[in-house]
Amino acid sequence: MDTKQIEYILMIAEENNITKAAERLFITQSALNQQLLKLERELGTPLFERSRTNWHPTEAGEVYLKNAREILRLKKETYNQISDIAATRRGNLTIGFTPGRGSQMFTSIYPRFHQAYPQIHVNPLEKGVRELQSLIADNTVDVAFLTLRESDQTNDCYIPLLDEEILLAVPQGHPLCETAPPPGETMATLDLTAVQYEPFVIMNRESTMRRFCNDLFAAAGFTPNILFETRSNDTILSMIRTKLCCGLIPSHYARRANDGIVFFRLPSRPFWQVTACYKRDAYLSQAARYFISLVKDIWIQEA
């Protein structure tokens, strides 16, 4: 099934620029423009409003793009199902994961996956949770590994892999650390109000973790003094280690932290889920299911 023309038009829409689209497709701008003009003559109407810096779809273009994406989805699902039936173990798999833990997960998983499916091309994408949810919805990503609460979930399918507790991180040497047991023993519990006058480093406003933290602070009855916002949990740990502030950290990162930080559990034991997400009603190939099983095994072992 040759869908090259469809892929060309979708690339123009993605780039909003025919020159950039041609560069990404490794063809000349003239050749790409000829493909577009040929299709527009066939349809009898323009698909894009042209300008030097911004091409955007016409009303007819929007209809074409919507159905073009659906055609590519059906093609991919058809090929995946036939590949599973014929046991060819060939195809493509686009995996989405969040910054930080995602790259570690991928490097741990990929060698085992490649050994089982050497002819499956894996395309990894590292994005934030909301962007990955959008990419799942428009069929760009086959499976995304996300950390979120049930209230953050879309109408797509979510496979729970494990529950992850959120911990309070305090710089070592802070007076509150005197209440903590020695390393290796059961973690102490500390109410969030105990650090309400301390500065905090916290994830940025676009993250699912930030919304979670906002709810925790609201439940504790205070607005935090935010010293710094970041996209990285490792940055949070680094700043806490320098005794600048406190923070809220998923337990995955607490296990990786070196000396200089003391972790406490919160009384409510707040947690979110590590999940595998895929589009509702989409066909999940055997390769995708195997990838998910590998991720689950790795993260459960580390929990």
Side-chain angles (χ1 to χ4, degrees):
M1 186 187 298
D2 188 0
T3 55
K4 194 170 293 293
Q5 186 183 62
I6 289 175
E7 293 165 6
Y8 286 170
I9 305 306
L10 288 174
M11 185 62 74
I12 296 173
E14 183 177 334
E15 290 294 333
N16 295 317
N17 182 288
I18 195 168
T19 303
K20 293 180 180 178
E23 289 173 356
R24 285 189 60 187
L25 291 165
F26 301 103
I27 61 175
T28 66
Q29 179 179 334
S30 174
L32 182 56
N33 192 50
Q34 288 301 314
Q35 288 288 333
L36 174 59
L37 291 175
K38 177 183 177 182
L39 177 60
E40 288 180 330
R41 285 195 297 270
E42 180 183 335
L43 296 173
T45 186
L47 296 180
F48 291 94
E49 299 285 352
R50 275 82 155 167
S51 74
R52 290 191 61 184
T53 58
N54 182 30
W55 286 41
H56 59 274
T58 61
E59 183 178 358
E62 292 287 3
V63 172
Y64 180 91
L65 293 170
K66 176 183 176 182
N67 289 288
R69 294 187 183 101
E70 182 64 12
I71 289 170
L72 290 186
R73 183 189 70 80
L74 289 171
K75 175 187 174 181
K76 185 171 187 177
E77 287 204 0
T78 300
Y79 279 42
N80 284 339
Q81 290 182 49
I82 292 174
S83 177
D84 285 347
I85 292 169
T88 61
R89 297 196 167 205
R90 296 177 182 173
N92 297 282
L93 185 61
T94 301
I95 299 292
F97 52 84
T98 54
R101 80 175 76 212
S103 57
Q104 180 191 9
M105 173 272 289
F106 186 79
T107 54
S108 299
I109 295 303
Y110 184 73
R112 290 172 59 188
F113 179 84
H114 182 67
Q115 185 175 19
Y117 289 89
Q119 296 190 76
I120 296 284
H121 173 72
V122 179
N123 177 33
L125 293 179
E126 187 179 54
K127 304 286 184 181
V129 170
R130 286 180 174 178
E131 189 170 359
L132 286 173
Q133 288 174 320
S134 296
L135 293 174
I136 286 285
D138 69 13
N139 303 301
T140 301
V141 169
D142 298 305
V143 179
F145 296 93
L146 309 176
T147 47
L148 36 62
R149 297 173 293 172
E150 287 190 17
S151 58
D152 296 317
Q153 293 183 2
T154 58
N155 193 42
D156 292 306
C157 293
Y158 291 83
I159 302 173
L161 302 181
L162 63 98
D163 293 339
E164 181 178 41
E165 191 171 347
I166 306 302
L167 305 174
L168 172 63
V170 176
Q172 196 169 43
H174 191 286
L176 289 171
C177 296
E178 295 177 3
T179 64
E185 295 188 15
T186 303
M187 201 177 298
T189 297
L190 187 67
D191 197 282
L192 199 53
T193 56
V195 290
Q196 63 179 310
Y197 301 114
E198 301 290 341
F200 274 82
V201 58
I202 194 168
M203 294 295 281
N204 64 18
R205 292 176 180 150
E206 290 75 33
S207 68
T208 50
M209 181 63 178
R210 176 59 176 271
R211 296 198 297 276
F212 197 169
C213 290
N214 287 345
D215 289 345
L216 292 175
F217 289 125
F222 71 93
T223 300
N225 170 22
I226 299 176
L227 174 67
F228 192 80
E229 297 182 15
T230 179
R231 297 184 64 183
S232 168
N233 281 289
D234 289 326
T235 299
I236 293 178
L237 292 171
S238 177
M239 294 188 69
I240 296 171
R241 198 173 286 115
T242 58
K243 305 184 187 302
L244 287 174
C245 47
C246 298
L248 292 166
I249 288 287
S251 58
H252 168 81
Y253 295 92
R255 289 190 295 273
R256 295 168 48 203
N258 297 321
D259 294 339
I261 303 175
V262 176
F263 295 95
F264 294 90
R265 303 181 77 182
L266 296 171
S268 62
R269 304 290 189 263
F271 71 92
W272 61 5
Q273 286 185 330
V274 179
T275 67
C277 174
Y278 63 97
K279 188 175 179 65
R280 183 170 297 278
D281 299 326
Y283 177 75
L284 201 59
S285 67
Q286 291 177 11
R289 292 181 185 278
Y290 182 65
F291 199 101
I292 292 170
S293 71
L294 291 178
V295 173
K296 186 172 184 177
D297 289 345
I298 288 291
W299 278 346
I300 287 178
Q301 288 171 16
E302 294 181 356

